[in-house]
Each structure stands twice: as C-alpha cells, then as structure tokens.
Amino acid sequence: MTNASTAMARKTNSKRGIRESNELLILEAAEQVFAESGFKGATTDAIARQAGVPKANLHYYFSTKEILYNRVMEDVCSHWLAAAQSFDKTDDPSTALRGYISAKMEQARKRPYGSRVWAMEVLRGAPAINSYLHTVLKPWYEERTKKLNGWIEAGKMDPVDPQALFFMIWATTQHYADFAHQISVLNEDNNLSDTQYARATEQVCQIILKGVGLKQQS
Amino acid sequence: MTNASTAMARKTNSKRGIRESNELLILEAAEQVFAESGFKGATTDAIARQAGVPKANLHYYFSTKEILYNRVMEDVCSHWLAAAQSFDKTDDPSTALRGYISAKMEQARKRPYGSRVWAMEVLRGAPAINSYLHTVLKPWYEERTKKLNGWIEAGKMDPVDPQALFFMIWATTQHYADFAHQISVLNEDNNLSDTQYARATEQVCQIILKGVGLKQQS
DNA sequence: GTCTATACGTTGATAGAC
DNA sequence: GTCTATCAACGTATAGAC
C-alpha cells in the first residue's frame, strides 16, 4: 500500500513532470512562432518543429491550435501585469515613471517574443484578448490615470494628458522589442548591445520625464 | 488604318483603364487583409472577396500572392517617404520636429492599414523590405541624425541621442494606427474622435519637444 | 506518453469556356 | 478581360500501433 501509493505518486509526479516540461517546451516555441507569423500564419507543424517534438505530440498536449494560442496569450498577459506593478512602488511621479519605463524596457529586452505576440494580436483586432483588455488593462489604466491627474493637480508635473503619456511609454518601450529587426538594420545590422540598450533606456526616461515637467532623480 | 489605329488605341486605353482600376481595387483590399493577417495569414481568397472580385481574377492581375504583397509594400514605403520629407521643410529644430510628428500622426490617421502592414512586415523580420530598409531608410536616418547632431552642437536643443528620439517618434505616432483597437477599448470602445486625435497630436508634440529641450512654437 | 500514417478541409494557382 | 471548375500542396487534427 505504501509502496503502491509511493509508486503511484512517483508515476503521477513523473507524468506531471513530463507533461509540464513538454508543455513549457511547446509554449516557448509557440510564443516565438506566433510572434513571427501571427495566429493564422503560424502552423502547428512549425511550432512542433521549433519545439523539437512530433506534430502529433503537440496535439496531444494542446488539442487545438486555438487552445495553444490562448495559453500563450495568458502567459504574455501575466507578464504585462508583472511589469505594470512596478508603477505602484512609490508615490513620487518621477520615481514611478522611471521605474515603470525601466521595467517595460527590461521586459522588451528579455521577452521580445511576448511583446510581439501582443502586438500581432492587437493588430488583428485582439479577438483573443478582448475580455482581458476590458477587465484588466482598462481598469489598470483608469486607476493610474487618476493617480497621474492627482500628481498634476498637486502641481508635481505638467498638465499632460495621461492617455498620451501612457501611449508614448507603451509604444516606445515595446518598439524596442517589436521593431528589433528595423533597429538592427539602423545599427550596422547588429542588435543593440547591453551598453547601447542601457543608454536607450536612460534616454527614454530622460526625454519623457523632462517632457512632462519632472526633474531627473532616483 | 486611321480607324483601325483609333480603335486599337481606344481598346488599349480601355484595357489600361480597367486594369488600373481593378489593380487599385485589389491593392486596396490587399493592404487591409495583409494588415490584419500578415503575409502568411492572408489568403488570396479573402483579398479577392474584400475587393469584390473572383479569386481567379485576382490571379489574372497579380500572378502570385508574393508579387501582390510586394506591390503593397512598395506603396506603403512610398507613403513613408512622403511623410519623411516634411522633416526637411525648415532648419529650425522645433518646427522640423513638430512638422514631422504632425505628418506622421496624420498619416497614422489616414492610412492606418499601411502602418499596420509595415509593422507586420517588420515583426516577421522584414524579408520583403530588407533592401528598402538598407537603401532608403538607413541613409535617410543617417542624414537626419547628422542634422540633429548639428542642432545639438549649436546648442539649439538638449544633447539627446538622435536614435532614441527617432524611435520614440516612430513608435508613438505609429502606435495610434497599429494599436487602434487597444486604444478604442481604453476610450469606451470608440475610436478617437477628430478632436481627441488633434489633442493627442498636440500632446505628443508638446511632450517630445519639451523633452529634448525645445520651446513650443510654430 | 510517443509517433507514423492518414483523413479531410483549405489554399494558391491554373485550365479553359465564355 | 471574366469566371467556373479543378488540382496539387499544405494545414489541422486524429487513429491506432507501440
């Protein structure tokens, strides 16, 4: 009985271990392929090849391409939320904006495929994340808009439209992931080095902070 | 002979007229469908339906999907160039940047599909416009970088990295076309009105100009 | 859990009547 | 120049042996 249940547990764990590791492998490959070709353009065959598993195996773990895509979008959305939280670590506008911009830039650097999948999804009209946009992004955006307006009323920064500011931050930071190929062409066909990327992050912070009337700090 | 050549000319003109108008119809539909689904995801059938012509007819005018796509990209690139020219209408940095940003914003408003096709193309690694990026975009970018550095050395604006500035302008202005769906979700599910869009343009100019140490003007 | 073989729909492209 | 019918290639998904 003990042996049996131990064996069963081991087997179950083993199964879960295999399942989890294979799902991870496939999800990672899917994020990349979906980022390159979009939902329609991506093929389960290409994803399977990228993951190094037979196509039938992919369908064993994710019965349909749409289910796999939705799982990828869930991951991407959860990472967006993680970066978004860095906005709330302080009540000082300069520190908050600088921290948020830096977090977004770091994310664009470390998870470029996630950013691109998001871009692809929005470009096609965001059918898969429509509810997420309404129930998560919009409330987040409205709360932070209030916060910004509070700072503006307190005279801590220029009376800018929070909407324009957020769009500028999102667009600019995500540009470094989404348009990486174009950027490399303008950089002698090399991706930005760590040094160049750190400098870019600093420049983005500087221009935006000064642009909304905030002193450099933090 | 006169009659014959007149008849032939008329027939030729007629043919050309039909060809041009049908090609235009198909190109317009193609720009839209490619913008929504990317090169791989778009189907010639969907494009033909969008254009209101039989699929076989589309293939009569554009023998392959790739040729059609390249024609669409040519159009998109030529429009990019047109907006880029507004940068050179003056030697005053404030006026030049404001004019360029406004032109890009107007283009994002009037030709959103063009912007999205460009974005889709760069997202997949820009195989179709690779040579264009090297022979047109890069030289343009390097020339204007020199111009900006000249202004900086002359003390007319802050010593910002021209690269970061251009990326910010491109990213932000194109965001209004590429992420229009997301923007509408944050705007009570309505597209930005003309008034809102004018305000957004003004805000983008204001933040960026101030951000690089330029006085408002023009 | 793995993988080969395959069913079955879709897509790009063409043939050939009008 | 237009359009129906068609085909080969490719795509998703599954069956069934291991």
Side-chain angles (χ1 to χ4, degrees), chain B residues 27-48:
Chain B
L27 282 169
E28 199 175 348
E31 185 171 305
Q32 189 170 339
V33 176
F34 281 131
E36 284 161 358
S37 308
F39 175 71
K40 282 186 190 170
T43 67
T44 54
D45 189 56
I47 295 170

Side-chain angles (χ1 to χ4, degrees), chain B residues 5-114:
Chain B
S5 65
T6 306
M8 191 149 77
R10 198 182 291 124
K11 192 183 178 188
T12 304
N13 281 338
S14 170
K15 264 188 187 172
R16 278 188 187 153
I18 289 177
R19 169 165 283 273
E20 269 176 32
S21 96
N22 279 343
E23 283 187 353
L24 209 70
L25 209 64
I26 294 167
L27 282 169
E28 199 175 348
E31 185 171 305
Q32 189 170 339
V33 176
F34 281 131
E36 284 161 358
S37 308
F39 175 71
K40 282 186 190 170
T43 67
T44 54
D45 189 56
I47 295 170
R49 263 185 287 114
Q50 176 75 27
V53 303
K55 187 169 59 160
N57 216 324
L58 180 152
H59 278 98
Y60 170 74
Y61 288 107
F62 301 93
S63 51
T64 70
K65 180 169 130 174
E66 198 170 355
I67 286 172
L68 174 57
Y69 184 72
N70 286 333
R71 278 288 302 276
V72 169
M73 289 311 307
E74 277 175 37
D75 290 354
V76 170
C77 289
S78 77
H79 281 87
W80 178 85
L81 252 189
Q85 286 172 353
S86 72
F87 189 86
D88 301 309
K89 286 181 182 163
T90 172
D91 256 326
D92 173 62
S94 190
T95 312
L97 285 178
R98 176 173 282 272
Y100 182 48
I101 292 168
S102 300
K104 290 278 296 173
M105 285 294 284
E106 190 184 337
Q107 196 171 78
R109 180 79 164 170
K110 291 192 176 162
R111 287 187 63 93
Y113 293 122

Side-chain angles (χ1 to χ4, degrees), chain A residues 36 40 116 118 123-126 134 138 158 160-161 171-172 175 181-182 185 189 199 203 207 210-211, chain B residues 36-37 116 118 123-126 134 138 158 160-161 171 175 181-182 185 188-189 199 203 207 210-211:
Chain A
E36 285 161 358
K40 283 186 191 169
R116 289 175 206 160
W118 180 290
L123 274 167
R124 70 168 186 152
H134 282 89
K138 188 157 188 277
D158 288 352
V160 301
D161 186 347
T172 303
H175 182 87
H181 180 80
Q182 178 175 302
V185 169
D189 286 306
R199 177 172 161 76
Q203 289 283 306
I207 296 175
K210 179 164 183 174
Chain B
E36 284 161 358
S37 308
R116 288 174 205 159
W118 179 290
L123 274 168
R124 70 169 186 150
H134 282 89
K138 188 157 186 279
D158 289 350
V160 300
D161 186 347
H175 182 87
H181 181 80
Q182 178 175 303
V185 169
E188 314 302 328
D189 287 306
R199 178 172 161 76
Q203 289 283 306
I207 296 175
K210 180 164 183 174

